[in-house]
Amino acid sequence: DQQVKQNSPSLSVQEGRISILNCDYTNSMFDYFLWYKKYPAEGPTFLISISSIKDKNEDGRFTVFLNKSAKHLSLHIVPSQPGDSAVYFCAASGESEKLVFGKGTKLTVNP
Amino acid sequence: NAGVTQTPKFQVLKTGQSMTLQCAQDMNHEYMSWYRQDPGMGLRLIHYSVGAGITDQGEVPNGYNVSRSTTEDFPLRLLSAAPSQTSVYFCASSYSLATTPYGYTFGSGTRLTVV
């Protein structure tokens, strides 16, 4: 049973527009959520995280929103740049538990 | 540079051969883990360790062995390679199993092909 779901395998947006990547989870015990970014032939790198006590966390062009009642989080990238083209993984964990990853969404930002 | 180092970066094996994927970190992290990434499957946990001498199975442990004799090293052994083990393997580490705001630090990966 997949606890973290990224239902969109791919997303294409124009440079300068907003990119919205979505993630749903099923485990109500999750209390920390992270987004990782992965370029081809490289390992995933940490992008941004959010604790369950918050509903929004912002870091420059990247904002993560958490809707606990809907068990849904999203990553907004504004404005999108061609260098943002990568695979984005959503991950979640509960207290003293390992990270659980989604299957990833491939973002393509077209110039 | 501090971080997680994986070797080799690429490897081709014949079915039935054995090999060890190396992983080393110099951040004094207690928690280390191995993932495999397959198309459409995301990152799946193979084995993990919460400290030297302690290991446990993840989601897809069959066909793999691990040991943790030091804090720094966490090798992954393929006992008898099979084509189904063709994948990209990532090692990750963290201060603890419990999630920190920065999650895990990943190595750059080992691309393994079994023919």
Side-chain angles (χ1 to χ4, degrees):
Chain A
D1 182 31
Q2 199 177 357
Q3 299 186 70
V4 177
K5 301 177 183 179
Q6 294 178 256
N7 292 320
S8 298
S10 63
L11 174 68
S12 182
V13 300
Q14 286 298 120
E15 181 178 5
R17 306 295 290 269
I18 184 171
S19 296
I20 300 176
L21 293 90
N22 293 303
C23 178
D24 297 296
Y25 61 97
T26 58
N27 189 339
S28 59
M29 300 303 292
F30 285 151
D31 58 8
Y32 231 105
F33 305 89
L34 300 89
W35 285 94
Y36 279 82
K37 178 179 181 178
K38 184 185 179 304
Y39 291 119
E42 294 184 12
T45 55
F46 169 78
L47 185 60
I48 192 169
S49 66
I50 188 168
S51 163
S52 61
I53 63 173
K54 295 184 175 182
D55 54 20
K56 176 183 175 181
N57 189 27
E58 192 171 356
D59 184 2
R61 296 185 297 114
F62 302 91
T63 303
V64 56
F65 296 92
L66 176 63
N67 182 334
K68 289 186 291 293
S69 61
K71 294 191 178 66
H72 176 83
L73 65 154
S74 59
L75 174 68
H76 292 211
I77 306 174
V78 184
S80 301
Q81 300 174 352
D84 296 329
S85 296
V87 176
Y88 290 79
F89 289 100
C90 173
S93 79
E95 186 177 351
S96 299
E97 291 294 331
K98 304 176 292 298
L99 275 179
V100 178
F101 287 86
K103 294 185 176 182
T105 296
K106 182 177 182 180
L107 173 66
T108 302
V109 180
N110 301 303
Chain B
N1 292 337
V4 179
T5 302
Q6 291 185 235
T7 56
K9 291 190 181 302
F10 303 94
Q11 183 71 48
V12 178
L13 287 179
K14 293 182 178 180
T15 298
Q17 286 185 317
S18 62
M19 79 158 294
T20 299
L21 279 63
Q22 301 292 344
C23 176
Q25 52 89 11
D26 57 3
M27 299 172 285
N28 202 31
H29 284 173
E30 289 295 326
Y31 177 78
M32 296 185 74
S33 54
W34 278 100
Y35 288 85
R36 59 178 289 173
Q37 185 195 9
D38 303 292
M41 299 299 292
L43 294 165
R44 293 186 292 171
L45 181 64
I46 304 171
H47 285 285
Y48 66 97
S49 168
V50 298
I54 306 170
T55 63
D56 206 346
Q57 296 181 350
E59 181 185 358
V60 288
N62 292 340
Y64 307 95
N65 272 357
V66 292
S67 61
R68 184 93 179 271
S69 57
T70 67
T71 299
E72 295 78 18
D73 301 298
F74 191 43
L76 178 72
R77 298 183 186 85
L78 280 70
L79 308 173
S80 178
S84 61
Q85 293 179 304
T86 294
S87 187
V88 182
Y89 291 85
F90 292 101
C91 180
S93 73
S94 177
Y95 284 108
S96 69
L97 179 150
T99 304
T100 71
Y102 304 103
Y104 302 162
T105 301
F106 282 85
S108 59
T110 295
R111 182 175 294 273
L112 176 69
T113 301
V114 183
V115 297

